[in-house]
Amino acid sequence: DAGVIQSPRHEVTEMGQEVTLRCKPISGHDYLFWYRQTMMRGLELLIYFNNNVPIDDSGMPEDRFSAKMPNASFSTLKIQPSEPRDSAVYFCASSADRGRGTDTQYFGPGTRLTVL
Amino acid sequence: DQQVKQNSPSLSVQEGRISILNCDYTNSMFDYFLWYKKYPAEGPTFLISISSIKDKNEDGRFTVFLNKSAKHLSLHIVPSQPGDSAVYFCAASARNFNKFYFGSGTKLNVKP
């Protein structure tokens, strides 16, 4: 298995532009998570899906952020409009369901976003 | 609300010695714990886990200890190697929780 795939690996954009981050989870995994890592806040959970349905988006910082999972093999995290404070590394992770909640999460390589 | 805390942002250890990374949690419902290792420019990779029915789990050079009464877990690396230099995150979850709570990470530097 190729593991969790994220694209792009690096994104540099200007303030006000729309940014779309993409994720392909591990085949067969039921959960998909979007995280953001910053120096100040460490690893923050933004939103997670179970069987393609958003379950908890309480970590999404504001309405400029949105996430979708149209099918079991693809998810997007969109920022519109982007701001310099959105600069961070964004990780996608997926996990199986062990019958009592999420199992070990496997992370993608991340997308480093820089908003100028 | 930081339910999982790693109070040491960094740790430096000599090659061959033991590295001990600590993690504290506040939620007594947590019953499943993970450690992840993260190299620069890569995603966190799963290292070792422990369930609350155990107080110790060992995998090669890595051992995780769980003290439920103190709500504390630790990761021991023996012997430490320069390739172990990375950021280590602990994470916790509970039955029917669908997410993990992560600590802020400890940066380990193993000096040759």
Side-chain angles (χ1 to χ4, degrees):
Chain A
D1 197 319
V4 176
I5 299 172
Q6 291 186 248
S7 64
R9 291 295 309 275
H10 302 274
E11 177 80 36
V12 180
T13 190
E14 293 188 346
M15 183 173 64
Q17 296 298 306
E18 177 180 296
V19 174
T20 299
L21 311 181
R22 296 172 176 80
C23 175
K24 176 178 168 56
I26 293 172
S27 177
H29 279 188
D30 306 286
Y31 290 89
L32 183 140
F33 304 82
W34 282 101
Y35 289 90
R36 177 170 69 173
Q37 184 184 23
T38 62
M39 291 292 293
M40 293 295 295
R41 299 174 68 91
L43 202 58
E44 296 177 86
L45 176 64
L46 300 177
I47 185 172
Y48 77 90
F49 296 82
N50 180 217
N51 293 324
N52 313 338
V53 177
I55 301 299
D56 184 352
D57 65 354
S58 59
M60 296 286 258
E62 44 196 280
D63 292 344
R64 298 184 296 107
F65 286 69
S66 63
K68 293 182 180 179
M69 192 166 185
N71 58 62
S73 59
F74 184 65
S75 177
T76 59
L77 177 67
K78 187 175 294 186
I79 308 173
Q80 165 63 20
S82 58
E83 296 183 3
R85 61 192 166 119
D86 301 330
S87 298
V89 181
Y90 291 80
F91 291 104
C92 176
S94 70
S95 68
D97 187 336
R98 57 192 167 108
R100 43 155 287 177
T102 178
D103 203 344
T104 303
Q105 295 178 14
Y106 294 88
F107 284 77
T111 295
R112 180 173 293 277
L113 173 64
T114 302
V115 183
L116 304 174
Chain B
D1 180 22
Q2 199 66 357
Q3 297 196 48
V4 178
K5 296 180 182 179
Q6 294 177 256
N7 292 318
S8 298
S10 63
L11 175 67
S12 188
V13 172
Q14 202 68 38
E15 180 179 6
R17 308 295 277 270
I18 184 172
S19 295
I20 300 176
L21 297 99
N22 294 304
C23 180
D24 297 294
Y25 60 96
T26 56
N27 192 332
S28 57
M29 293 184 66
F30 288 153
D31 62 358
Y32 189 57
F33 305 88
L34 307 176
W35 283 95
Y36 285 85
K37 179 169 70 174
K38 185 186 178 304
Y39 291 121
E42 295 184 11
T45 55
F46 168 69
L47 191 58
I48 192 169
S49 65
I50 188 166
S51 165
S52 61
I53 61 174
K54 295 184 175 181
D55 54 17
K56 175 183 172 182
N57 190 27
E58 193 171 350
D59 183 1
R61 297 186 295 113
F62 302 89
T63 303
V64 57
F65 294 93
L66 176 62
N67 182 334
K68 292 184 286 293
S69 60
K71 295 191 182 69
H72 177 85
L73 65 156
S74 60
L75 175 69
H76 293 212
I77 307 173
V78 183
S80 302
Q81 298 174 354
D84 297 329
S85 297
V87 177
Y88 290 79
F89 292 95
C90 67
S93 185
R95 180 176 292 275
N96 296 325
F97 278 28
N98 292 324
K99 60 185 180 182
F100 280 89
Y101 294 84
F102 281 81
S104 54
T106 296
K107 185 174 183 179
L108 173 66
N109 179 34
V110 180
K111 296 177 287 186

